[in-house]
Amino acid sequence: MTLRILFASTAISLLLGAAVPAFSESAAPSPTGAYSQTTDTYTFPLGDLGIVALSDGTVPQDLHALLTGTSPQEVDEHLNHAFLSNPVEASINAFLIRDGARLTLVDTGSGQLFGPGYGGKLRDSLASIGVMPQDITDILITHIHTDHTGGLVADGKPVFVNATVHVGAPDLTFFLDASNSEKTGYARQYFDEAEKTIGVYQRAGKVRTFSDNQTILPGIVATLHPGHTPGSAFFTVSSKGHSIAFIGDVIHVAAVQFPDPAVTILYDVNPGEAAAVREKTFASFADARQLVAAPHLPFPGVGHIRAEGGGSFTWHPAEYRNRQGSQGL
């Protein structure tokens, strides 16, 4: 089986891996115990900034089909340890940074590209906190995959008409050249979808690229970590001695990849590099006690990584607070 066919089949697994969608789209009253679809946000301070985690929804993932460098039996052992079973539900998280002058999004979710009921809730989540698409001034893209760029467009037209989109130069070069699909064996769908999403903004002159270790906005430094994609980026945001790192898809499945960072996923352009980045950055974040935000960890996807020895790590969600008050009070 070629990598292209594997990507096609696992894309179906991503959307249809669960026999029944976790969330019902029916307008009829939900039976007792059913899941419900809602907007979801979580706001917290970072120095003088406001950070808002925004839910774009969740999607089921068949980890037996998607994870590589492991076996279904090993995956199931990890999942059982975490009180989970295959398929698992993956969050699609985006984040908003408020600095008083700008409203900056980190990623845009899947938009319409995963189909009804699978993501596509970002605009509703923004509206619930009084933010309209035209209010967004900047968008930071961790990498050009559909679940991070799909929300850029609706019905083929730009959603965030006043925003500048910031993306790593290697990702833009790679994904906007469809010949790279033939050269690398990476699924053509990702290149076609890039043309329909970030390509729309590129043709409108609304895309700004960056290189490694570049300050792209006040207090925001971008670093490149190739592996998952050629231009995968982290964004470290700092204010008044506090910082948070938005780490993109360095992690997909907490229950498996924290205890075993060598496990990779079929979405990786270069699995070996992706695993090396994960091992190195997990250790670095753990040592620095760095607050991180991840798009596919359970909402809101904000917390810390702890080194447990032997190359194993654990995830510790940030303290939850549901009351008025500023940081530390």
Side-chain angles (χ1 to χ4, degrees):
M1 183 179 289
T2 67
L3 184 59
R4 181 180 301 172
I5 295 172
L6 277 169
F7 266 91
S9 64
T10 52
I12 295 172
S13 296
L14 175 65
L15 297 181
L16 303 177
V20 178
F23 295 130
S24 170
E25 287 286 352
S26 173
S30 297
T32 300
Y35 292 99
S36 62
Q37 294 191 31
T38 63
T39 61
D40 211 351
T41 68
Y42 184 64
T43 301
F44 58 96
L46 186 87
D48 286 337
L49 307 177
I51 309 295
V52 188
L54 302 155
S55 176
D56 189 56
T58 67
V59 291
Q61 293 195 112
D62 179 0
L63 300 185
H64 293 169
L66 292 173
L67 295 184
T68 57
T70 186
S71 68
Q73 293 76 20
E74 291 173 333
V75 168
D76 287 343
E77 288 175 7
H78 285 303
L79 294 180
N80 183 63
H81 182 75
F83 301 94
L84 297 170
S85 60
N86 191 59
V88 300
E89 202 74 9
S91 290
I92 306 175
N93 307 322
F95 303 91
L96 180 71
I97 305 164
R98 299 178 184 262
D99 70 0
R102 291 182 174 84
L103 286 175
T104 301
L105 269 180
V106 182
D107 290 333
T108 67
S110 63
Q112 301 168 324
L113 298 185
F114 279 179
Y118 296 96
K121 299 178 176 63
L122 176 62
R123 281 191 286 170
D124 289 338
S125 293
L126 283 169
S128 74
I129 57 170
V131 176
M132 298 295 104
Q134 62 268 26
D135 300 331
I136 300 299
T137 60
D138 297 271
I139 300 172
L140 314 181
I141 298 297
T142 58
H143 63 290
I144 302 177
H145 271 164
T146 307
D147 51 330
H148 300 261
T149 58
L152 286 171
V153 298
D155 301 320
K157 297 180 180 180
V159 169
F160 304 99
V161 294
N162 296 318
T164 298
V165 178
H166 305 262
V167 64
D171 250 31
L172 197 71
T173 299
F174 183 74
F175 283 104
L176 290 188
D177 182 353
S179 70
N180 285 320
S181 176
E182 294 292 336
K183 294 173 185 175
T184 63
Y186 201 65
R188 176 63 183 260
Q189 70 187 72
Y190 294 107
F191 301 88
D192 293 342
E193 288 167 352
E195 284 287 347
K196 297 174 183 176
T197 55
I198 201 161
V200 172
Y201 287 74
Q202 169 76 345
R203 291 186 289 275
K206 301 288 286 185
V207 172
R208 185 174 300 171
T209 60
F210 56 80
S211 54
D212 187 36
N213 200 33
Q214 182 175 335
T215 298
I216 54 176
L217 291 170
I220 302 179
V221 176
T223 54
L224 295 179
H225 305 270
H228 183 58
T229 65
S232 286
F234 297 170
F235 302 105
T236 301
V237 178
S238 303
S239 176
K240 292 291 184 70
H242 300 275
S243 67
I244 186 170
F246 298 93
I247 62 175
D249 280 7
V250 72
I251 174 74
H252 285 85
V253 187
V256 178
Q257 291 176 301
F258 279 122
D260 189 356
V263 173
T264 51
I265 196 164
L266 281 172
Y267 308 135
D268 293 331
V269 173
N270 187 318
E273 286 187 354
V277 166
R278 184 161 38 255
E279 292 165 358
K280 179 180 178 180
T281 57
F282 279 5
S284 175
F285 290 144
D287 184 61
R289 300 177 68 87
Q290 174 67 59
L291 182 66
V292 302
H296 297 310
L297 297 186
F299 184 82
V302 178
H304 292 87
I305 298 168
R306 179 182 295 279
E308 300 293 354
S312 177
F313 300 86
T314 52
W315 172 248
H316 299 270
E319 180 182 51
Y320 177 73
R321 182 177 298 187
N322 188 0
R323 64 175 175 85
Q324 296 297 321
S326 60
Q327 187 165 316
L329 299 178

